[in-house]
Amino acid sequence: MTGVWVLLATLVVATAAGLVLRARNGRIRAAKPAAQTRTLPAPVTEALDPQSAVTLVQISTTFCTPCRHTRAILSSLAEKTDGLHHVDLDVTERPEVAQALSVLSTPTTLALDPEGRELLRVGGVPKGPELLEALRPHLAAATR
């Protein structure tokens, strides 16, 4: 009988953990003040597009399956939206880049302004319409 209770408890804990992870996937978070003033690693600075109001820097790794889906979503958004640029940065061979940006999992997407200030961050696969809505104030400010 004890084995049944252990199995039931394990299932409840695993289900709760799965629901929490699912809820956090694709969540958009505003940048922390410290992130807005940090010095960016060279590969990120080189990826910034000074002509775009927002550069989406996707932090990926070689064998990350959700990264492919994220790449498709962000590329499509950038193609359809004026002032938006997308760059996919593979950090498989450069873990120091992820560490400098406080990225703990891939995919993580950073929205940066032309000066390199972090505007927002998305952990996991972003939801295109929600991300675009969160970026609208930054895109609109640049077109004025």
mmCIF file of all heavy atoms in Angstrom, residues 5 10 60 63 93 121 125 144:
data_model
loop_
_atom_site.group_PDB
_atom_site.id
_atom_site.type_symbol
_atom_site.label_atom_id
_atom_site.label_comp_id
_atom_site.label_asym_id
_atom_site.label_seq_id
_atom_site.Cartn_x
_atom_site.Cartn_y
_atom_site.Cartn_z
ATOM 1 N N TRP A 5 0.937 4.911 -2.546
ATOM 2 C CA TRP A 5 0.966 6.305 -2.093
ATOM 3 C C TRP A 5 2.198 7.034 -2.648
ATOM 4 O O TRP A 5 2.110 8.196 -3.040
ATOM 5 C CB TRP A 5 0.942 6.394 -0.562
ATOM 6 C CG TRP A 5 -0.420 6.063 -0.023
ATOM 7 C CD1 TRP A 5 -0.758 4.970 0.710
ATOM 8 C CD2 TRP A 5 -1.613 6.819 -0.218
ATOM 9 N NE1 TRP A 5 -2.096 4.992 0.981
ATOM 10 C CE2 TRP A 5 -2.646 6.130 0.428
ATOM 11 C CE3 TRP A 5 -1.920 8.007 -0.864
ATOM 12 C CZ2 TRP A 5 -3.963 6.583 0.465
ATOM 13 C CZ3 TRP A 5 -3.225 8.463 -0.840
ATOM 14 C CH2 TRP A 5 -4.235 7.762 -0.197
ATOM 15 N N THR A 10 4.306 10.934 -6.427
ATOM 16 C CA THR A 10 5.239 11.224 -7.515
ATOM 17 C C THR A 10 4.499 11.777 -8.726
ATOM 18 O O THR A 10 4.941 12.743 -9.356
ATOM 19 C CB THR A 10 6.024 9.956 -7.901
ATOM 20 O OG1 THR A 10 6.711 9.476 -6.751
ATOM 21 C CG2 THR A 10 7.008 10.242 -9.020
ATOM 22 N N SER A 60 20.580 30.468 -28.739
ATOM 23 C CA SER A 60 20.270 29.074 -29.069
ATOM 24 C C SER A 60 21.484 28.192 -28.851
ATOM 25 O O SER A 60 22.589 28.682 -28.658
ATOM 26 C CB SER A 60 19.869 28.961 -30.538
ATOM 27 O OG SER A 60 18.779 29.774 -30.830
ATOM 28 N N PHE A 63 21.703 21.668 -30.547
ATOM 29 C CA PHE A 63 20.754 20.558 -30.476
ATOM 30 C C PHE A 63 19.445 20.924 -29.797
ATOM 31 O O PHE A 63 18.705 20.051 -29.360
ATOM 32 C CB PHE A 63 21.410 19.368 -29.759
ATOM 33 C CG PHE A 63 22.640 18.897 -30.475
ATOM 34 C CD1 PHE A 63 23.899 19.155 -29.966
ATOM 35 C CD2 PHE A 63 22.531 18.225 -31.680
ATOM 36 C CE1 PHE A 63 25.034 18.732 -30.636
ATOM 37 C CE2 PHE A 63 23.657 17.801 -32.362
ATOM 38 C CZ PHE A 63 24.913 18.049 -31.840
ATOM 39 N N GLU A 93 29.380 26.778 -28.643
ATOM 40 C CA GLU A 93 30.837 26.868 -28.498
ATOM 41 C C GLU A 93 31.269 28.120 -27.728
ATOM 42 O O GLU A 93 32.460 28.348 -27.545
ATOM 43 C CB GLU A 93 31.499 26.885 -29.883
ATOM 44 C CG GLU A 93 31.175 25.669 -30.730
ATOM 45 C CD GLU A 93 31.735 24.374 -30.139
ATOM 46 O OE1 GLU A 93 32.821 24.414 -29.534
ATOM 47 O OE2 GLU A 93 31.065 23.332 -30.286
ATOM 48 N N ARG A 121 12.693 40.268 -22.243
ATOM 49 C CA ARG A 121 13.313 38.945 -22.384
ATOM 50 C C ARG A 121 12.215 37.895 -22.404
ATOM 51 O O ARG A 121 11.234 38.005 -21.681
ATOM 52 C CB ARG A 121 14.234 38.744 -21.186
ATOM 53 C CG ARG A 121 14.885 37.417 -21.062
ATOM 54 C CD ARG A 121 15.752 37.383 -19.816
ATOM 55 N NE ARG A 121 16.918 38.235 -19.980
ATOM 56 C CZ ARG A 121 18.165 37.841 -19.801
ATOM 57 N NH1 ARG A 121 18.426 36.616 -19.430
ATOM 58 N NH2 ARG A 121 19.161 38.667 -19.979
ATOM 59 N N VAL A 125 9.794 29.288 -26.080
ATOM 60 C CA VAL A 125 9.265 29.633 -27.400
ATOM 61 C C VAL A 125 8.267 30.772 -27.234
ATOM 62 O O VAL A 125 7.272 30.627 -26.526
ATOM 63 C CB VAL A 125 8.579 28.418 -28.063
ATOM 64 C CG1 VAL A 125 8.015 28.799 -29.411
ATOM 65 C CG2 VAL A 125 9.553 27.260 -28.192
ATOM 66 N N ARG A 144 8.428 57.727 -34.773
ATOM 67 C CA ARG A 144 7.953 59.117 -34.593
ATOM 68 C C ARG A 144 8.994 60.120 -34.992
ATOM 69 O O ARG A 144 10.125 59.984 -35.024
ATOM 70 C CB ARG A 144 7.570 59.361 -33.133
ATOM 71 C CG ARG A 144 6.304 58.659 -32.768
ATOM 72 C CD ARG A 144 5.912 59.009 -31.363
ATOM 73 N NE ARG A 144 5.086 57.920 -30.882
ATOM 74 C CZ ARG A 144 4.952 57.580 -29.635
ATOM 75 N NH1 ARG A 144 5.582 58.224 -28.704
ATOM 76 N NH2 ARG A 144 4.181 56.600 -29.290
#
